Amino acid sequence: EAARDVLERAGERGATRLGVEAMPLLDAYGIPTPAGEVVDSPVDALAVAERIGDPVVMKIVSPDILHKSDIGGVKVGVAHEDVYDAFEDLVTRARNYQPDATILGVQVQEMVETESGVETIAGTNRDPQFGPLVLFGLGGVFVEVMEDTALRLAPLAESEARAMLDEIQAAPLLSGARGRDPVDEPAVTEALARLSQLVTDFPAILELDVNPLVARPDGVQAVDLRLTLD
Ligand code: ADP
Ligand code: MG
């Protein structure tokens, strides 16, 4: 129901491209996300930060900005005393990038510990012939460079999702290469299966990317979201 609400509200706005403001979709499907909220003033930003932690991550939220970090639209490790400045700076950067950009606000998000983890991508798209597909691979900047991904038809059984983890060339990174702890592979598998259920339930979702899905020894966190609606 929560998922339906998010998509209906987007439909009413006439929005076809959604970002982190749609994170409640993932929550609704039991995919872990860091605490976060989209706010439209520095005062509200600080109020959210005081609730979720110190430091926080702050991101510009705009359907016109696809790659937030490319324009300096993601600030990691923002201390409470810097929240006001960070808010103003994010909005200024967005305006400089595109003066008529629609700015929905700024997301204030809990910091996720990424050192012990691997940034992966979990995505979906829709094949005109075969229907929804799920993609998994290394996330972050590597996704475009490496093209190291596994692809399956949705909905995914957990066993199929599990096979995707082993299939990518970067699999040793997940299973603990060079003395690193292995990531929580059952949690990654479950996130993939749940994502595949989400896009199976909502045919209006044409494309969806969770990048990164941070995979750690103690579970996963979906840190960023982008999707396209019919
Ligand atoms: P975009 O992909 O639009 O540039 P992201 O939200 O994916 O923006 O952020 C870019 C990078 O910043 C991520 O790949 C991740 O390394 C880091 N990052 C983003 N959010 C968090 C967070 N909550 N905690 C820790 N690191 C984060
Ligand atoms: Mg991202």
Side-chain angles (χ1 to χ4, degrees):
E1 282 317 298
R4 204 170 298 276
D5 282 353
V6 170
L7 295 175
E8 270 173 14
R9 258 180 285 130
E12 284 160 14
R13 277 194 286 128
T16 54
R17 286 199 306 263
L18 309 188
V20 290
E21 74 277 13
M23 294 289 261
L25 266 184
L26 301 180
D27 297 326
Y29 275 75
I31 298 164
T33 61
E37 223 174 290
V38 178
V39 296
D40 56 14
S41 76
V43 174
D44 289 345
L46 184 58
V48 173
E50 280 169 348
R51 215 173 53 239
I52 64 181
D54 191 7
V56 290
V57 176
M58 293 173 68
K59 306 180 187 182
I60 194 73
V61 184
S62 163
D64 299 314
I65 299 170
L66 289 184
H67 300 286
K68 297 177 286 298
S69 34
D70 285 358
I71 65 143
V74 176
K75 289 176 184 283
V76 177
V78 182
H80 284 181
E81 58 184 15
D82 298 325
V83 164
Y84 277 36
D85 286 348
F87 186 100
E88 301 296 355
D89 188 55
L90 287 169
V91 173
T92 303
R93 283 169 191 264
R95 289 261 170 263
N96 287 344
Y97 167 71
Q98 190 181 320
D100 63 349
T102 299
I103 297 175
L104 298 177
V106 167
Q107 186 197 37
V108 180
Q109 193 180 44
E110 184 185 343
M111 278 278 285
V112 168
E113 190 273 304
T114 55
E115 296 281 285
S116 69
V118 179
E119 292 198 15
T120 67
I121 180 173
T124 69
N125 60 30
R126 227 161 259 283
D127 182 276
Q129 211 172 347
F130 299 108
L133 297 167
V134 177
L135 170 151
F136 175 73
L138 267 201
V141 288
F142 297 122
V143 59
E144 279 103 29
V145 186
M146 308 279 296
E147 292 185 11
D148 179 20
T149 52
L151 208 58
R152 289 283 188 295
L153 284 175
L156 279 178
E158 296 234 350
S159 60
E160 296 173 277
R162 176 60 228 221
M164 293 174 81
L165 271 61
D166 297 329
E167 191 175 307
I168 61 172
Q169 284 170 39
L173 280 181
L174 302 176
S175 54
R178 307 222 165 195
R180 289 170 61 95
D181 286 333
V183 308
D184 185 344
E185 293 182 320
V188 180
T189 299
E190 193 178 328
L192 288 173
R194 286 171 180 242
L195 206 60
S196 88
Q197 194 58 52
L198 167 63
V199 297
T200 304
D201 293 347
F202 293 98
I205 301 175
L206 297 182
E207 243 180 59
L208 182 155
D209 273 332
V210 176
N211 183 16
L213 176 74
V214 177
R216 286 193 317 221
D218 61 346
V220 296
Q221 290 277 347
V223 155
D224 187 23
L225 172 65
R226 193 164 75 214
L227 60 107
T228 311
L229 297 178
D230 198 346

